[in-house]
Amino acid sequence: MKQNKLIFTPGPVKEFPETNAIGGQQTPYFRNDEFSQVMLESEKMLLALVNAPQNSKVITLTASGTAAMEAAVLNLVSVEDKTLSIVSGGFGQRFSDICKIHQRECQSYHPQQDDDLTNTDVLLPHKDNDILLINAHETTICHQFNLTQIGQFCKKNDLLHIVDGISAFLTDPLDMQLHNIDALIVSSQKGLALPPGLAMIILTPKAIDKIIPEPATLYFKFSDYLTNAQRGQTPYTPAVSIILQMHQRLKSIIKQGGIDSAISHTQSIAQFFRNGIKNLPLALYSKHMPNSVTALITTNGQHAGELVADIESKYQIVLCPNGGALSKTVFRVSHMGNITREDTQKLLNVLHDYYGINV
Ligand SMILES: *Cc1c(COP(=O)(O)O)cnc(C)c1O
């Protein structure tokens, strides 16, 4: 399999040479103080980057992001709880599916297209629910929700606010205090630009109080993770190398100015790209786009999947096709991770060349 293609996919994303160098080394033994130190420092940095309230804790799972979504439901949503799941695409639907499989009472709310829930009145019929599940950014259609307003709705009506921030972390605002988030899910292969395999759930004291003591799961039992995390360990063998890579990435993000500069970097790349496609037969698909990814619609009637396949075979550049009903018209371009302005210019040149239009 070719590993030298330039990828603009929303996970995995283009990684950093320093991170890859760590991944190429021998995996060390981890039940010792040296590794505990790495874990404890990583926890501290993560909590700072999302502005978690005091006494928040991080649960580190060796798993993909979906496992963290499922683990959050298993540990934080009881069978007595009434859950509201906001569904505007595949990832929102996943939360509803997880609830159904585990027999949690769940109502799905499908916002109108382009409704980012700035006006939360539409949620009022569900204000007596106990839990709200949402993806900060629904990655399948690049639709970003107004977390400030949704957080206020949850606070006012006392709903536990569980947010999948997987494709927003480090690229778009995600502030646990400002957005009143009680449990926040992030994973390694998006904004962090690490290999897939780690997912973190950041819990505020309010969420910690809500943890079910004996959930119907062994591997995902949060209380075991919290006990182990006190000394910088996990109950089971973690993805040691990815944790070392994450430690290095977090240190470097903080050194380069922290969350604000990480977000404004991605924002400038996204804007550069969106400005650069104006002459092309492409249009932005959604109104409330995040910085992390751009969803585009082909305006010349060409099948979007065919365009993505052509660009890969002719130019060794990988874009992201959409699935399902949107596969004919929509594809996506990620700006996360180590994608630079030069990489983006290269993609713009390629797209212009493909359509035979001068840059
Ligand atoms: C990528 C992503 C996930 C995680 O998917 P996995 O393939 O399980 O890692 C979950 N939610 C959102 C919003 C995502 O973008």
Side-chain angles (χ1 to χ4, degrees):
M1 187 163 183
K2 285 214 181 82
Q3 287 182 277
N4 59 352
K5 290 182 183 174
L6 181 53
I7 60 168
F8 287 88
T9 45
V13 308
K14 187 184 171 203
E15 294 158 358
F16 292 84
E18 310 88 273
T19 339
N20 287 337
I22 296 170
Q25 288 177 40
Q26 166 66 44
T27 308
Y29 182 63
F30 66 101
R31 295 281 187 212
N32 54 36
D33 287 343
E34 212 182 336
F35 187 73
S36 292
Q37 209 49 44
V38 168
M39 285 288 284
L40 292 169
E41 281 175 23
S42 301
E43 177 177 49
K44 217 170 145 186
M45 291 187 281
L46 271 173
L47 292 173
L49 286 167
V50 296
N51 195 27
Q54 269 221 316
N55 299 320
S56 295
K57 300 279 181 236
V58 178
I59 284 174
T60 306
L61 298 176
T62 290
S64 92
T66 305
M69 295 166 73
E70 186 157 20
V73 169
L74 280 167
N75 285 274
L76 300 175
V77 182
S78 80
V79 287
E80 286 93 45
D81 285 327
K82 278 192 186 158
T83 301
L84 175 63
S85 167
I86 308 296
V87 181
S88 64
F91 288 108
Q93 185 59 45
R94 196 168 293 178
F95 261 141
S96 300
D97 293 346
I98 291 168
C99 287
K100 194 168 172 209
I101 287 171
H102 297 293
Q103 279 133 43
R104 270 35 175 206
E105 191 182 336
C106 178
Q107 297 158 346
S108 299
Y109 178 79
H110 300 264
Q112 300 285 317
Q113 187 167 0
D114 285 331
D115 182 4
D116 69 344
L117 297 179
T118 293
N119 180 352
T120 53
D121 286 354
V122 290
L123 301 179
L124 283 174
H126 308 281
K127 72 176 172 37
D128 295 329
N129 284 38
D130 306 291
I131 314 262
L132 186 137
L133 298 170
I134 191 165
N135 317 99
H137 159 221
E138 171 54 66
T139 324
T140 54
I141 54 166
C142 296
H143 178 68
Q144 164 128 330
F145 285 105
N146 186 331
L147 288 182
T148 308
Q149 294 305 322
I150 296 162
Q152 275 173 20
F153 171 84
C154 289
K155 190 171 188 172
K156 190 167 165 217
N157 298 296
D158 195 27
L159 278 82
L160 194 80
H161 191 200
I162 302 180
V163 176
D164 163 3
I166 289 175
S167 60
F169 178 50
L170 297 172
T171 59
D172 291 271
L174 209 48
D175 181 313
M176 290 186 80
Q177 295 188 54
L178 179 70
H179 299 146
N180 189 48
I181 299 171
D182 299 306
L184 177 64
I185 299 164
V186 301
S187 79
S188 55
Q189 82 276 25
K190 309 265 167 113
L192 274 168
L194 305 173
L198 275 188
M200 278 68 64
I201 300 134
I202 303 164
L203 300 172
T204 62
K206 184 176 167 191
I208 293 170
D209 279 347
K210 184 89 174 55
I211 290 176
I212 296 165
E214 295 298 337
T217 171
L218 177 91
Y219 188 76
F220 294 124
K221 186 175 174 185
F222 279 4
S223 54
D224 283 346
Y225 282 83
L226 288 180
T227 310
N228 279 269
Q230 284 174 11
R231 56 183 178 104
Q233 290 286 327
T234 50
Y236 313 102
T237 309
V240 176
S241 297
I242 310 178
I243 288 174
L244 296 178
Q245 291 172 309
M246 176 165 76
H247 184 247
Q248 180 274 326
R249 270 292 289 148
L250 293 171
K251 278 202 300 191
S252 129
I253 290 161
I254 288 170
K255 201 168 150 203
Q256 285 164 18
I259 193 69
D260 292 340
S261 89
I263 292 172
S264 65
H265 170 75
T266 316
Q267 186 177 37
S268 80
I269 303 264
Q271 273 170 3
F272 179 65
F273 176 72
R274 291 167 194 171
N275 287 334
I277 57 162
K278 295 209 163 125
N279 294 331
L280 303 176
L282 298 171
L284 300 181
Y285 177 70
S286 49
K287 209 164 135 194
H288 300 283
M289 260 201 219
N291 302 320
S292 54
V293 195
T294 301
L296 292 163
I297 188 157
T298 51
T299 55
N300 62 355
Q302 186 187 14
H303 194 295
E306 179 192 280
L307 168 67
V308 170
D310 281 353
I311 298 290
E312 177 161 0
S313 65
K314 284 193 189 163
Y315 305 97
Q316 313 297 304
I317 284 183
V318 187
L319 309 175
C320 187
N322 266 56
L326 295 176
S327 64
K328 281 187 187 151
T329 45
V330 179
F331 70 100
R332 287 161 295 157
V333 175
S334 161
H335 313 294
M336 293 185 275
N338 190 19
I339 289 292
T340 60
R341 190 172 270 256
E342 290 71 38
D343 295 328
T344 307
Q345 184 63 61
K346 187 172 171 189
L347 173 60
L348 289 170
N349 294 347
V350 155
L351 288 170
H352 282 78
D353 184 67
Y354 179 74
Y355 288 116
I357 294 172
N358 289 333
V359 179

